[in-house]
Amino acid sequence: MRKLLSWTTLGLAAVAAAPAVAGDFPQRPVTILVGFPPGTSTDNVARIIGEDLSKKWGQAVIVDNKPGVGGSMAVSLLKRAKPDGYTLALSATAPLNINPQFNKQINYDPLKDFAYITQTTWLPYMLVTSGKSPITSLDQLKKAALAHPDDLTYSSIGIGTTSHLLMEILQERTGIKLRHIPYQGSSQSQTDVIAGNVDMTFDTVVSTMPHVKDGKLHAIAVSTAQPTPLAPNVPSLQQLGVPNFDVGAWLGFVAPAGTPDAVVHKLHDDIVATLQKPEVRKRLTDLGSEVVTSASPQAFKRFVADNYKMWGDVLKKGGIHQ
């Protein structure tokens, strides 16, 4: 009888706890790990979303910046966090798609160690040349590159970064050859393109458009399949004849593997609801981000897996490794 009462008590306790796992989540502050410094695009997106979620939940949402290893420090810490939904990461393309295939010291498997929640935003890139350059179109760029292989140069924010790999894809799909000049960050990379010391670069639309508008850079094309609302008068590479070119950087929420499905789905639904609010969408668009959400956690995981394979293929074809 004591055993029966004991099991009955445990069963009732489990039933009583169920709403707290899903419907009543969260019951204390939630932390969002961000692998980049304060003031960066990822940090700003996390704070905008976190602010609205805090109002919705009636709980504090804390953004905890853990920069390092190209954004992978935060994801590495997330792997070791308790899988209860109270520690999340807003991650970018590099930590979950590129870094684990490029940096052998990365200690996590992006396809096994995390529960995927939803994509939040999409950051299109733009191919630009110096405002001093006679190259103002993709046709002119291809003609110059084919006439003088390896003479034209491009900058990136570092080996194995999105800006580097986008140019690898462009070369592979157009047959041109360019010389890579890697830098340590976007500011240095763009400064030398503006000065005419380097011929071109890929960088985010939000960071390049101000220089395009003041004539310091020529906008050649955007990296998305169609023109982006963030730069409506700039054609896409795919429109200009570069096949299957629809590439950019994404941001999305992940939790540690083992987080209860009910919590993952509640997080998905609440974050998507936040991203549907006009005032939130406007703030994110003003940052230079397109709001893009996932239909389900499973859809987001498939998206990440597909991108993981795509970037892995680019790294292998280019022989790019650390």
Side-chain angles (χ1 to χ4, degrees):
M1 180 62 72
R2 279 198 299 269
K3 283 187 178 181
L4 177 59
L5 288 173
S6 176
W7 282 112
T8 302
T9 303
L10 286 171
L12 290 173
V15 171
V21 171
D24 292 342
F25 175 89
Q27 296 185 320
R28 62 178 191 272
V30 173
T31 297
I32 300 173
L33 300 174
V34 172
F36 303 93
T40 56
S41 294
T42 308
D43 174 73
N44 289 332
V45 170
R47 291 179 189 278
I48 290 170
I49 295 172
E51 181 182 314
D52 189 80
L53 288 174
S54 180
K55 294 175 185 176
K56 179 191 294 287
W57 291 336
Q59 297 287 347
V61 175
I62 302 160
V63 175
D64 189 3
N65 299 90
K66 299 292 184 183
V69 200
S72 286
M73 180 66 73
V75 179
S76 180
L77 292 171
L78 181 71
K79 175 186 173 181
R80 302 196 294 271
K82 188 175 180 180
D84 55 8
Y86 287 94
T87 304
L88 312 174
L90 182 65
S91 187
T93 303
L96 290 171
N97 283 163
I98 299 173
N99 296 355
Q101 305 186 82
F102 172 72
N103 185 342
K104 294 181 180 179
Q105 296 182 346
I106 296 294
N107 65 349
Y108 56 80
D109 183 332
L111 304 182
K112 295 180 180 178
D113 292 335
F114 305 105
Y116 286 85
I117 299 169
T118 183
Q119 186 179 349
T120 59
T121 46
W122 175 255
L123 300 172
Y125 276 63
M126 185 184 290
L127 175 62
V128 293
T129 58
S130 172
K132 301 175 181 179
S133 173
I135 298 174
T136 61
S137 71
L138 183 63
D139 279 344
Q140 291 174 342
L141 191 160
K142 289 194 292 186
K143 287 177 183 177
L146 291 170
H148 306 284
D150 291 321
D151 280 2
L152 291 184
T153 57
Y154 72 93
S155 63
S156 76
I157 65 172
I159 296 173
T161 60
T162 306
S163 60
H164 173 202
L165 299 184
L166 279 167
M167 201 66 79
E168 289 289 326
I169 297 172
L170 181 66
Q171 291 179 91
E172 190 265 331
R173 294 184 185 173
T174 58
I176 62 175
K177 291 187 178 181
L178 307 168
R179 189 153 44 91
H180 183 201
I181 312 293
Y183 288 78
Q184 293 299 313
S186 178
S187 177
Q188 294 173 311
S189 169
Q190 283 195 36
T191 296
D192 263 14
V193 175
I194 289 170
N197 298 326
V198 182
D199 292 304
M200 69 196 80
T201 194
F202 264 113
D203 212 328
T204 60
V205 170
V206 65
S207 67
T208 51
M209 272 306 289
H211 301 307
V212 170
K213 288 177 178 178
D214 64 19
K216 293 180 181 178
L217 293 173
H218 294 307
I220 304 299
V222 292
S223 65
T224 46
Q226 301 296 327
T228 170
L230 305 173
N233 297 319
V234 181
S236 71
L237 285 165
Q238 193 160 298
Q239 282 182 317
L240 296 175
V242 183
N244 302 317
F245 209 111
D246 186 16
V247 191
W250 55 263
L251 298 180
F253 278 101
V254 292
T259 301
D261 286 345
V263 172
V264 170
H265 280 86
K266 185 174 193 303
L267 284 165
H268 170 272
D269 293 348
D270 287 353
I271 293 169
V272 169
T274 282
L275 290 167
Q276 290 174 344
K277 292 184 176 180
E279 62 272 23
V280 173
R281 295 178 74 91
K282 184 180 186 306
R283 291 180 69 187
L284 293 172
T285 300
D286 289 346
L287 285 177
S289 301
E290 296 180 17
V291 176
V292 179
T293 59
S294 306
S296 66
Q298 294 80 6
F300 184 37
K301 185 173 183 178
R302 288 193 297 270
F303 170 82
V304 174
D306 289 345
N307 275 263
Y308 183 85
K309 182 180 184 307
M310 184 272 289
W311 288 117
D313 289 344
V314 175
L315 290 165
K316 289 174 185 175
K317 285 180 181 178
I320 302 163
H321 53 80
Q322 199 172 47

